[in-house]
Amino acid sequence: MSGGGLLVAGTTSDAGKSVVTAGICRWLVRQGVKVAPFKGQNMSLNSFVTREGAEIGRAQAMQAQAARVEPSALMNPVLLKPGSDRSSQVVLMGKPVGELSARGYHGGRQAALLDTVVGCLEELRGSYDAVICEGAGSPAEINLRRTDIVNMGIARAARLPVLVVGDIDRGGVFASFFGTTALLAPEDQELLAGYLVNKFRGDVSLLEPGLDMLKDLTGRATYGVLPFQHGLGIDEEDGLRVSLRGSVRESQTAAPVGEDVLRVAVCAVPLMSNFTDVDALAAEPGVVVRFVDRAEELVDADLVVVPGTRGTVRALQWLRERGLADALARRAAEGRPVLGICGGFQLLGNSIEDDVESRLGTVDGLGLLPVRVRFEREKTLARPVGEALGEHVEGYEIHHGVAEIVGGEAFLDGCRVGSVWGTHWHGSLEADGFRRAFLREVAAAAGRRFVPAPDTSFGALREEQLDRLGDLIEEHADTDALWRLIESGAPSGLPFIPPGAPA
């Protein structure tokens, strides 16, 4: 017998689908329910590698952690990794299968994947009491409905009830709920069970007249009003949700343990991937992390991080055009710390031979590390374990570039020269002992009297965040009604709201 299910859709991208899905998963698992997350198709440069070597969206890995289960390719069978505004790499069941233009994908390839997506969902439902699915964008994208496999397409194929999340902080939430409903075909509206208001500030009683009118207009209930809370945008998928010159994750910087803070500047390179690598740095008391795009913003930084990117050669050109490449070279010459991760590591090397990503052949790197990089068509997907700076380290690798190390001091899978470090390993800074040892080296090289806190546990902080998401659902949603949806499906007799989708 298949387990229950629910699709969490949204009025827009970034309405809060990912965190609401994670919150429902954490609430359910705390009730003793065996639950798994699912997203049929994800578009993101923020990805993760499962233990079996499959690449999936990092948001689904975070949701699996919320559900206290091991992430797998079944939870995100289709991942699209943009390489430009018009094309993406298609990752199917955790492995890349080629590049497609948006027209080529939506023109036929997407619809052909529906059976795969439905099959993965049914396999999960056969193993779990409940599967909480996340939609993408808006379910009312009427130009894409014919080939949809992630919103109403999967909801109708699997007979899933749909809960629509709206971000009231943006304004227009009532119009968005009503308009989303009224632009769906009658068969899709039958599955749209109701709404969830997200990011509300103020007195809920002032909102209630609007919620009552919305129910009168649509015949559908609002299942909860979640209050606005800072710092819950964990492992986001759609892009960088902070100002380039703002602090990471809206989090308050705790007071330093030592006399100084440590300033970290992250180069906001084009097609940045896995920018969550720096979250562990931002979690350290006294560490201030910001994203930058100007050379002068590196001057007062104690550490500069060049993060991963889906376009290494493009990022290299961008760094040169903006004067950041020269600023990085000056830092290296002065012995001031620089860390390159994945694509950021590759562009710090001497040369890049790329006939895969940019197809520009061999180009000169920044020459800060003795490394030659050659792009292979086969993607490296791995979960390495090792030691660095005397500490145990675990990470994950997602890259086409193969690095030939021709000098320097060994550092994880990469190398170090002076105060310039490079590695392909994502997630290494989440290892508490290694992160503290690394920050001590950075502080010494930068001349800062910074002392890492002795007891910061990134894993424990992540668990606290996930519990806060579960608390939001438990305290501010109608959990009895939510469970009825998951167990029994959408209520019968939901009214049709005209005009419906165009024929």
Side-chain angles (χ1 to χ4, degrees):
M1 178 179 175
S2 290
L6 174 70
L7 176 70
V8 179
T11 55
T12 62
S13 293
D14 201 34
K17 297 184 294 292
S18 295
V19 293
V20 167
T21 300
I24 294 174
C25 285
R26 178 50 60 101
W27 160 63
L28 285 173
V29 77
R30 293 194 310 205
Q31 308 307 308
V33 177
K34 187 180 178 185
V35 59
F38 178 80
K39 185 162 185 173
Q41 173 197 294
N42 196 345
M43 177 173 279
S44 179
L45 289 172
N46 203 18
S47 59
F48 181 76
V49 179
T50 67
R51 294 206 180 278
E52 68 267 27
E55 185 179 8
I56 66 172
R58 180 139 180 145
Q60 279 61 66
M62 175 269 291
Q63 290 160 358
Q65 185 177 350
R68 297 179 179 146
V69 296
E70 189 68 32
S72 79
L74 290 173
M75 297 171 184
N76 180 207
V78 182
L79 173 64
L80 305 179
K81 303 194 74 175
S84 70
D85 290 340
R86 293 172 177 256
S87 69
S88 295
Q89 182 181 69
V90 181
V91 179
L92 179 62
M93 297 303 296
K95 304 295 181 184
V97 294
E99 296 273 341
L100 274 181
S101 68
R103 181 180 293 273
Y105 183 67
H106 291 288
R109 180 64 186 269
Q110 183 181 34
L113 294 172
L114 180 60
D115 287 346
T116 298
V117 170
V118 173
C120 289
L121 174 57
E122 287 307 309
E123 188 170 342
L124 287 174
R125 292 180 77 179
S127 303
Y128 291 87
D129 301 327
V131 179
I132 308 303
C133 309
E134 180 188 345
S138 162
E141 306 288 0
I142 54 179
N143 57 315
L144 302 177
R145 176 62 184 89
R146 183 176 60 85
T147 57
D148 170 48
I149 64 172
V150 67
N151 289 309
M152 301 313 299
I154 186 69
R156 201 192 295 186
R159 304 305 300 171
L160 292 172
V162 179
L163 183 70
V164 179
V165 178
D167 179 357
I168 197 169
D169 198 49
R170 292 183 172 191
V173 74
F174 293 118
S176 297
F177 283 147
F178 183 86
T180 297
T181 308
L183 279 178
L184 298 181
E187 297 85 353
D188 291 342
Q189 288 194 26
E190 289 176 4
L191 298 171
L192 200 163
Y195 314 106
L196 186 74
V197 176
N198 193 25
K199 302 181 187 177
F200 180 70
R201 307 174 192 249
D203 184 347
V204 175
S205 66
L206 298 176
L207 193 64
E208 288 171 353
L211 300 179
D212 292 340
M213 284 187 275
L214 182 67
K215 185 171 185 181
D216 290 341
L217 286 166
T218 67
R220 290 159 172 84
T222 297
Y223 284 72
V225 178
L226 308 185
F228 187 99
Q229 287 198 10
H230 287 281
L232 292 181
I234 51 178
D235 289 2
E236 295 167 285
E237 63 185 32
D238 293 324
L240 193 59
R241 302 301 182 197
V242 292
S243 163
L244 286 180
R245 280 170 283 283
S247 293
V248 174
R249 300 290 174 271
E250 304 173 310
S251 58
Q252 281 190 317
T253 303
V257 175
E259 297 178 49
D260 288 344
V261 298
L262 207 64
R263 296 173 177 84
V264 179
V266 184
C267 296
V269 296
L271 298 174
M272 190 190 315
S273 61
N274 291 75
F275 51 84
T276 47
D277 280 332
V278 299
D279 281 358
L281 294 178
E284 282 286 345
V287 175
V288 181
V289 180
R290 67 186 191 273
F291 288 85
V292 304
D293 62 350
R294 297 196 301 240
E296 56 268 30
E297 293 175 298
L298 303 190
V299 174
D300 68 344
D302 302 308
L303 169 67
V304 174
V305 177
V306 188
T309 171
R310 172 84 163 85
T312 302
V313 172
R314 178 176 166 184
L316 183 59
Q317 294 168 338
W318 181 86
L319 289 169
R320 286 179 168 136
E321 289 166 0
R322 303 184 76 88
L324 288 158
D326 289 339
L328 289 169
R330 286 193 296 271
R331 289 186 65 89
E334 295 165 0
R336 302 177 67 201
V338 175
L339 171 65
I341 302 174
C342 200
F345 162 46
Q346 294 168 4
L347 59 81
L348 293 178
N350 293 326
S351 64
I352 301 170
E353 183 184 332
D354 180 12
D355 295 316
V356 176
E357 219 171 56
S358 69
R359 298 184 176 87
L360 290 177
T362 302
V363 299
D364 290 334
L366 296 185
L368 305 185
L369 289 174
V371 176
R372 293 191 289 261
V373 175
R374 184 184 70 260
F375 273 65
E376 300 283 1
R377 297 200 177 278
E378 189 75 19
K379 182 184 281 191
T380 297
L381 297 169
R383 289 280 294 270
V385 177
E387 185 176 298
L389 304 179
E391 299 287 347
H392 178 77
V393 189
E394 297 183 18
Y396 57 100
E397 295 183 65
I398 307 168
H399 53 93
H400 285 280
V402 176
E404 180 188 359
I405 314 295
V406 294
E409 178 185 342
F411 176 69
L412 300 176
D413 72 327
C415 66
R416 169 187 181 179
V417 174
S419 291
V420 180
W421 293 265
T423 176
H424 276 128
W425 290 21
H426 296 290
S428 62
L429 293 168
E430 296 178 16
D432 297 326
F434 167 70
R435 183 180 64 255
R436 286 192 278 269
F438 176 70
L439 289 176
R440 282 192 289 269
E441 294 241 357
V442 168
R448 291 285 184 190
R449 290 171 295 183
F450 169 83
V451 179
D455 55 357
T456 302
S457 167
F458 184 75
L461 290 171
R462 172 54 55 87
E463 279 296 305
E464 287 175 16
Q465 281 185 306
L466 295 173
D467 275 331
R468 287 171 65 199
L469 294 179
D471 292 344
L472 281 175
I473 298 299
E474 190 167 336
E475 295 168 11
H476 301 282
D478 185 343
T479 52
D480 289 340
L482 267 182
W483 178 246
R484 285 195 296 273
L485 272 188
I486 293 166
E487 193 175 36
S488 304
S492 59
L494 292 169
F496 171 68
I497 308 302

